[in-house]
Amino acid sequence: MEPLQVIAGPRRLRILELVWDRELSAGQIAAQFEVSWSAVSQHLRVLKEAGFVVQRRQGTSRLYHADKAALGSLRAVDRVKDLAEAEQRNKDRP
């Protein structure tokens, strides 16, 4: 899966926001969503396989945090998105 496809999903993007500045267990992440734990687990797997989150085991828990270095390459995408949104707002003005 392409990196942009990985973060295009709103749930995966929200997971990245949750673990951006802190480490959370899979259960803590799943508690933030109104979907099954297995659905959240699948999103975590996709993010992990893309290298966007790092998993660490602590006892029986799996803890996740964002790998900011891996996500750094996507910063340019954010800038392009911001510019496109600003352009659209300007077009929408009377």
Side-chain angles (χ1 to χ4, degrees), residues 7 9-24 29 32-33 44 47 52-53 64-68 71 78 81:
I7 63 166
R11 287 192 184 108
R12 287 192 290 268
L13 193 54
R14 178 66 183 132
I15 290 170
L16 283 174
E17 290 172 353
L18 289 169
V19 298
W20 189 254
D21 289 320
R22 60 187 168 180
E23 191 174 57
L24 295 174
I29 295 168
Q32 302 297 312
F33 297 93
L44 285 167
L47 288 165
F52 294 159
V53 296
Y64 296 87
H65 68 275
D67 184 343
K68 294 178 184 178
L71 289 160
D78 262 349
K81 178 181 157 251

Side-chain angles (χ1 to χ4, degrees), residues 10 27 32 34 37 43-44 48 55 59 66 76 79-80 86 89 92:
Q32 302 297 312
E34 294 184 10
W37 188 93
H43 289 302
L44 285 167
K48 184 179 161 199
Q55 175 189 310
R79 180 71 180 130
V80 170
R89 282 191 303 272
D92 291 344

